[in-house]
């Protein structure tokens, strides 16, 4: 029987990307629910045929349920999946939604936006983590204004940003959140910049985009094994 992931997507320009392609190459089927199109997000995986859950990123905040009502069932889906010990991966907003759902706090980062490629700074716990072990120092794409300010009870910090905020968390035995975007190619990153600068990129934007483009192969070589490790959690 094929392994299957339920993927919650929040925006058209933040797709499963590289992660989705790598998982499909491994024989993992993706069932993508697009909340922004009004597709209903289930509150539990039972009955969906999925073996695990992935919650992607988006520009909205983790507490913006009033404006984006599918965030509420997404949080319940995360809570239920973590409680049941199912494989869960939250990416950027997904990481923040999981943190809020499990009792943490998310808000604007007091030190400002993180954008571009940032090395993964593993903690001691992260060095022994089944998903992140050996990836310390690997470059990862970031594009976020919000961060986890208070870690959920019982969660483990696996990596930290330069300002000390969580860069990766483990919420349970098979549940993780990463503040970065292992799924994002330079092309997708460029789309995000252009969406914010419809009248043309500024010099600083071009420099950041060039750094992401220069890291293309390093990003792929780091995060393809990460995708494979998460897929192994579905067995």
């Amino acid at each position: 029987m094929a392994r299957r992931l339920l993927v919650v997507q929040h925006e058209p320009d933040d797709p499963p990307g590289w992660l989705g392609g790598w998982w499909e190459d491994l024989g993992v089927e993706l069932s993508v629910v697009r909340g922004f199109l009004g597709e209903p997000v289930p509150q539990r995986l039972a009955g969906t045929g999925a073996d695990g859950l992935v919650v992607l990123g988006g520009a909205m905040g983790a507490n913006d349920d009033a404006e984006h009502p599918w965030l509420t069932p997404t949080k319940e889906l995360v809570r239920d999946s973590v409680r049941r010990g199912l494989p869960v991966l939250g990416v950027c907003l997904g990481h923040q939604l999981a943190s809020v759902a499990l009792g943490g706090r998310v808000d604007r980062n007091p030190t400002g936006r993180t954008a571009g490629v940032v090395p993964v700074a593993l903690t001691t716990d992260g060095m022994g983590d089944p998903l992140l072990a050996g990836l310390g120092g690997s470059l990862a794409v970031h594009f976020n204004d919000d961060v986890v300010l208070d870690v959920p009870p019982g969660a483990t910090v696996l990596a930290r940003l330069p300002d000390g905020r969580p860069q990766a968390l483990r919420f349970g035995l098979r549940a993780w959140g990463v503040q970065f975007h292992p799924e994002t190619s330079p092309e997708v990153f460029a789309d995000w910049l252009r969406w914010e600068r419809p009248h043309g990129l500024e010099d600083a934007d071009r420099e950041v985009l060039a750094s992401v483009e220069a890291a293309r192969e390093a990003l792929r070589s780091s995060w393809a094994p990460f995708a494979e490790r998460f897929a192994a959690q579905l067995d």
Side-chain angles (χ1 to χ4, degrees):
M1 182 179 296
R3 298 171 295 175
R4 182 175 300 167
L5 282 170
L6 180 71
V7 180
V8 180
Q9 183 175 343
H10 303 287
E11 292 185 332
D13 60 354
D14 198 349
W18 279 345
L19 284 177
W22 291 325
W23 284 327
E24 289 176 344
D25 288 345
L26 293 167
V28 177
E29 296 179 359
L30 304 185
S31 177
V32 182
V33 177
R34 299 167 179 85
F36 63 94
L37 293 180
E39 296 175 358
V41 177
Q43 295 189 29
R44 49 192 49 85
L45 282 182
T48 67
D51 305 295
L53 170 66
V54 177
V55 183
L56 296 172
M60 62 285 295
N63 299 300
D64 292 347
D65 301 49
E67 296 86 354
H68 308 284
W70 71 88
L71 299 183
T72 300
T74 299
K75 292 174 190 174
E76 180 53 39
L77 175 60
V78 169
R79 270 193 296 268
D80 186 73
S81 299
V82 173
R83 184 169 60 243
R84 295 177 185 277
L86 300 171
V88 175
L89 176 63
V91 174
C92 197
L93 173 62
H95 156 82
Q96 297 165 11
L97 288 169
S99 295
V100 170
L102 297 169
R105 182 170 68 96
V106 170
D107 210 331
R108 282 286 189 266
N109 189 344
T111 62
R113 167 176 283 188
T114 304
V117 286
V118 179
V120 174
L122 295 180
T123 63
T124 301
D125 288 310
M127 293 175 187
D129 182 72
L131 206 57
L132 290 172
L135 292 173
S138 298
L139 295 177
V141 172
H142 286 260
F143 200 97
N144 59 281
D145 295 295
D146 293 358
V147 289
V148 176
L149 296 177
D150 293 329
V151 172
T156 302
V157 179
L158 302 177
R160 292 191 182 276
L161 288 163
D163 61 10
R165 306 297 181 188
Q167 191 180 28
L169 293 170
R170 187 170 61 238
F171 302 112
L173 184 63
R174 295 196 290 171
W176 293 268
V178 295
Q179 183 58 75
F180 49 87
H181 287 275
E183 84 288 5
T184 296
S185 67
E187 290 76 17
V188 171
F189 188 85
D191 286 343
W192 296 345
L193 290 175
R194 293 186 184 110
W195 182 83
E196 289 198 333
R197 302 277 196 267
H199 302 298
L201 299 184
E202 298 177 357
D203 288 345
D205 301 321
R206 294 189 186 92
E207 290 178 10
V208 172
L209 179 55
S211 70
V212 174
E213 176 60 49
R216 178 188 296 270
E217 292 310 314
L219 293 168
R220 290 182 60 85
S221 64
S222 293
W223 303 113
F226 172 92
E228 186 172 359
R229 291 177 185 182
F230 186 73
Q233 299 294 320
L234 305 176
D235 294 333

